[in-house]
Amino acid sequence: MMRLGKWGNASETLRRCFELEFVSAADLNLAMANLEWRKQCAAAAGDLVASGSLPLDSFRAALVAEYDEYVVEWLLREYRGIRLIPDGGSYLVEGC
């Protein structure tokens, strides 16, 4: 659900897992913090490409300046709210 940007659904699923005792309170808190961090990074990514495509290096540098490198890598690998378009030896990033 996170990869589709369905943040509310992902949050509900995590809370339900806690209620069913599939995860501990500590694991829930960690997962919820990770969810929020990814949500904020995805929103920033959307803002970056709102006016058009951006070279991958510039896109990544702008996000890594504000967010954890691992969250940015997750976004580039998994998040479906952006698209990577081949451009010579690199990529352009645009919104979906």
Side-chain angles (χ1 to χ4, degrees):
M1 285 174 271
M2 282 189 271
R3 66 192 296 194
L4 298 174
K6 295 184 178 187
W7 310 110
N9 291 350
S11 177
E12 287 178 33
T13 299
L14 290 170
R15 290 183 197 286
R16 185 72 180 134
C17 287
F18 174 69
E19 290 168 4
L20 295 171
E21 298 181 358
F22 294 148
V23 298
S24 68
D27 287 336
L28 174 65
N29 289 336
L30 183 60
M32 293 298 279
N34 189 34
L35 172 70
E36 183 61 28
W37 196 234
R38 289 177 178 182
K39 179 181 173 182
Q40 290 175 13
C41 186
D47 291 345
L48 284 171
V49 296
S51 60
S53 60
L54 194 64
L56 177 59
D57 290 342
S58 300
F59 178 83
R60 180 178 290 168
L63 289 177
V64 169
E66 298 294 325
Y67 298 93
D68 184 278
E69 182 176 330
Y70 297 104
V71 173
V72 175
E73 288 304 315
W74 171 85
L75 184 109
L76 290 168
R77 278 191 328 272
E78 301 289 333
Y79 183 58
R80 301 299 176 227
I82 59 169
R83 180 175 30 237
L84 299 176
I85 308 298
D87 182 48
S90 187
Y91 294 90
L92 293 174
V93 183
E94 63 181 38
C96 291

